[in-house]
Amino acid sequence: MFFSVNTPLLVTLKYLCSNPGKLFREYIQGKRKTYYKPVPFFILMTVFYVIMSSFFNTEFLKSEMINNELQNTEALLNRAGQFMQRNVTNFLFLFVFSIGISLKLLFRKRYSLAEYLTIAFYLVGIYLSLIHISEPTRLGMI
């Protein structure tokens, strides 16, 4: 099954927060059964992010719009926020590939592009989970 409950999602989250280097090294060295797979992790965190955004009714750039007095700027920011909400998954997927390619360019001889893309999927996934944690506190809900 793609998203199995028996997979060690909590172990992956723990190591991504406490010691991501260990997770990356062990995953690339072949100790893959210990950790949640990177692409399902990324998809799960993206789905969770979209659900939480709709649950908390967050709008991107909302705090910038509240204090702005210019109607044109407010309308522009509102449209930009709506565009981001509609296309957040596309941007995140491009973000993964840009991180993977950047890592490959910076560290050419160390690992293959596929291994850097694996690291990028984990990085963007943990980025999304950190946004989940900070979003309610940033909006004053907790």
Side-chain angles (χ1 to χ4, degrees), residues 11 15 55-56 63 82 90 104 107 116 120-121 125 127 138:
V11 172
Y15 279 109
F55 179 73
F56 286 117
S63 60
Q82 290 172 356
N90 298 333
K104 180 62 180 166
F107 307 104
Y116 284 122
F121 275 115
Y127 168 75
R138 188 176 65 83

Side-chain angles (χ1 to χ4, degrees), residues 27 35-43 117-122 125:
Y27 193 87
Y35 304 107
Y36 204 74
K37 295 176 184 174
V39 175
F41 179 76
F42 168 77
I43 293 170
L117 286 173
T118 299
I119 292 171
F121 275 115
Y122 278 130

Side-chain angles (χ1 to χ4, degrees), residues 1 51 56 64 81 89 105 109 112 117-118 120 122 135 138:
M1 185 172 185
I51 290 170
F56 286 117
E64 287 83 2
T89 54
L105 291 174
K109 298 180 182 178
S112 69
L117 286 173
T118 299
Y122 278 130
E135 190 67 23
R138 188 176 65 83

